[in-house]
Amino acid sequence: MIRQKLHKHQSEPIVIDLTGPDGNAFALMGYAKKFSRDLGKDSNELITKMQSGDYDNLINVFDDAFGDFVILEK
């Protein structure tokens, strides 16, 4: 079936399911690099902070940086 592309509104948050493939550490760091680039920021310091602890630290650092427009679902 072919359908018309659905356009998301800019105000809709991005949702990342942490229990799926997008929730692994490498995928989240990839998102962090992309979002940082989109916002015109350097991602190196953020990635270093994300890697400085365990998975919960990685999630908390990501949420602090992008929680205004990304929802993380557990």
Side-chain angles (χ1 to χ4, degrees), residues 2 9 11-12 16 22 28 42 45 48 52-54 57 64 73:
I2 300 173
H9 300 345
S11 63
E12 289 184 26
I16 297 175
D22 287 340
L28 290 171
D42 182 21
E45 184 179 340
T48 300
S52 69
D54 60 5
N57 173 71
D64 288 344
E73 291 184 335

Side-chain angles (χ1 to χ4, degrees), residues 18-73:
L18 296 177
T19 63
D22 287 340
N24 79 55
F26 294 106
L28 290 171
M29 287 188 285
Y31 277 120
K33 286 181 182 180
K34 179 191 181 313
F35 296 151
S36 294
R37 184 175 51 247
D38 291 347
L39 295 170
K41 298 183 178 187
D42 182 21
S43 64
N44 292 330
E45 184 179 340
L46 179 64
I47 297 299
T48 300
K49 285 182 185 178
M50 291 174 75
Q51 293 175 329
S52 69
D54 60 5
Y55 182 72
D56 287 331
N57 173 71
L58 183 137
I59 292 171
N60 289 328
V61 172
F62 185 96
D63 191 46
D64 288 344
F66 306 113
D68 291 339
F69 62 92
V70 177
I71 296 174
L72 300 175
E73 291 184 335

